[in-house]
Amino acid sequence: MRDRYERLLAAVYVEDLFINEQMARDGFGEPAYYAPNDRFLSQIEDAWAEAEAAGEGLFADGLHCEPGQPVG
């Protein structure tokens, strides 16, 4: 599927591992919605929420940045 800018919107798998979801679960893949592709959005959002609750990745204590905040 492509978005209105012709970007390819893809779910990435390596064997049975859904890479997009794993990146979110590890706290390094923030969910993003690009219309009309919402097929896996809730799955990625759930994994991101798990990372936040567990203090994983960008949510880890001691980081000098916060998810969703501009750098600089």
Side-chain angles (χ1 to χ4, degrees):
M1 174 179 289
R2 294 189 181 270
D3 69 6
R4 65 185 175 134
Y5 301 107
E6 294 300 314
R7 293 177 293 202
L8 180 61
L9 306 174
V12 179
Y13 285 88
V14 173
E15 297 179 8
D16 293 333
L17 180 63
F18 184 19
I19 300 298
N20 310 54
E21 179 182 18
Q22 189 62 52
M23 288 177 60
R25 182 167 286 109
D26 290 342
F28 295 113
E30 186 174 2
Y33 174 66
Y34 297 99
N37 189 10
D38 64 354
R39 181 174 177 190
F40 299 107
L41 182 60
S42 63
Q43 192 174 344
I44 303 301
E45 288 173 334
D46 290 346
W48 184 248
E50 288 176 25
E52 183 175 15
E56 298 290 340
L58 297 176
F59 300 104
D61 290 338
L63 288 181
H64 301 288
C65 64
E66 294 186 25
Q69 298 299 313
V71 177

